[in-house]
Amino acid sequence: MKKLIFLFLSLLTAGALFQACDNSKTYAEMLEDEKNAVNKFIKDNGIRIISQSEFERNDTITNLERNEYVSLSDGVYMQIVDRGTKEDETDIFATNDEICVRYVEEDIMTRDTTCFNVFLEQWGDANLLYSNPALFRYVVQGTYVYATFLEMDYYWSSVYASTSVPSGWLVALPFVYNKAHVRLIVPSKMGHQSAQQYVNPFYYDIWKFTNKPD
């Protein structure tokens, strides 16, 4: 519990400092900072970016040995670790599906782990953080795609308290199936409300997208 309290206090302090810093910058400057942070994250992690056309020529596969990420729409980068299973048509993500997600979120600006609902050893005694997945409804209406949390995991509901699912998560779904594992670099405009407000990019290791009970 002491670890949990310390984590919340650290996030609140970081948020306050970040907001104070943002007040002295223009939006254009904040966008430039975001761009630089994402580029540095890509460089520091030895990530190779491929185009969507190259991705499609490679049968929509990203080469893990080469640490490839495909550049998708609106500045999202995706790596497919495991495409998931496709035993029948119900394994394909479709409109009105209720999808469970297990993930780790990292702030690209600070490189801190900021939100998660999987077991992480350093927070193993704070089981409220990973005892339940998040559950959202996925909706596709022509070119309009969105999702709303039906159930938020403990951390998301405590820190972000928003039912809107980051749109950056959703761009991965047409390329994968049930029980997929993907990694995403999500710019602020494709992120949650806090990401948009503070022009902050996030990295997601999404351990599993599941549209069926395990």
Side-chain angles (χ1 to χ4, degrees):
M1 183 57 68
K2 289 182 179 179
K3 284 185 177 181
L4 180 58
I5 293 171
F6 176 76
L7 180 60
F8 280 137
L9 290 176
S10 297
L11 288 171
L12 288 172
T13 301
L17 290 173
F18 190 57
Q19 185 174 17
C21 179
D22 286 350
N23 289 338
S24 65
K25 292 186 176 183
T26 66
Y27 181 64
E29 289 172 331
M30 293 165 70
L31 286 174
E32 186 65 23
D33 287 346
E34 176 183 32
K35 178 182 177 181
N36 292 338
V38 169
N39 288 340
K40 188 175 189 304
F41 182 87
I42 289 171
K43 180 179 179 181
D44 290 349
N45 287 281
I47 293 170
R48 180 179 183 270
I49 303 299
I50 62 173
S51 67
Q52 192 160 343
S53 59
E54 184 177 355
F55 175 63
E56 291 169 355
R57 286 198 303 271
N58 293 340
D59 196 28
T60 61
I61 291 172
T62 51
N63 188 318
L64 298 181
E65 291 184 0
R66 299 174 66 182
N67 201 21
E68 288 181 348
Y69 280 64
V70 57
S71 176
L72 297 176
S73 59
D74 294 310
V76 175
Y77 299 101
M78 175 184 69
Q79 181 179 71
I80 299 176
V81 181
D82 185 341
R83 191 186 298 278
T85 59
K86 188 186 176 185
E87 297 177 356
D88 54 53
E89 291 302 307
T90 64
D91 286 317
I92 299 173
F93 296 111
T95 190
N96 289 321
D97 275 356
E98 293 183 5
I99 301 173
C100 290
V101 60
R102 292 283 190 176
Y103 68 92
V104 179
E105 177 191 79
E106 180 180 332
D107 185 326
I108 288 178
M109 293 286 199
T110 64
R111 305 294 175 90
D112 292 326
T113 298
T114 47
C115 204
F116 59 92
N117 66 5
V118 298
F119 176 82
L120 298 179
E121 187 174 355
Q122 61 269 42
W123 303 109
D125 60 345
N127 65 342
L128 282 176
L129 299 181
Y130 59 85
S131 57
N132 294 304
L135 176 70
F136 64 84
R137 185 180 300 281
Y138 176 54
V139 180
V140 180
Q141 297 177 337
T143 59
Y144 183 47
V145 180
Y146 69 95
T148 304
F149 282 116
L150 303 175
E151 298 175 17
M152 292 183 281
D153 57 80
Y154 179 84
Y155 210 160
W156 196 279
S157 63
S158 299
V159 176
Y160 299 129
S162 171
T163 59
S164 296
V165 175
S167 55
W169 291 9
L170 307 181
V171 299
L173 296 179
F175 301 102
V176 296
Y177 310 119
N178 185 43
K179 299 183 180 179
H181 178 183
V182 302
R183 297 177 180 132
L184 299 167
I185 297 171
V186 178
S188 58
K189 65 181 179 179
M190 298 290 284
H192 47 60
Q193 290 179 358
S194 180
Q196 295 176 37
Q197 180 179 359
Y198 297 116
V199 194
N200 211 60
F202 286 89
Y203 166 78
Y204 292 95
D205 189 353
I206 297 183
W207 291 19
K208 193 177 288 186
F209 279 126
T210 310
N211 66 354
K212 292 181 179 179
D214 287 335

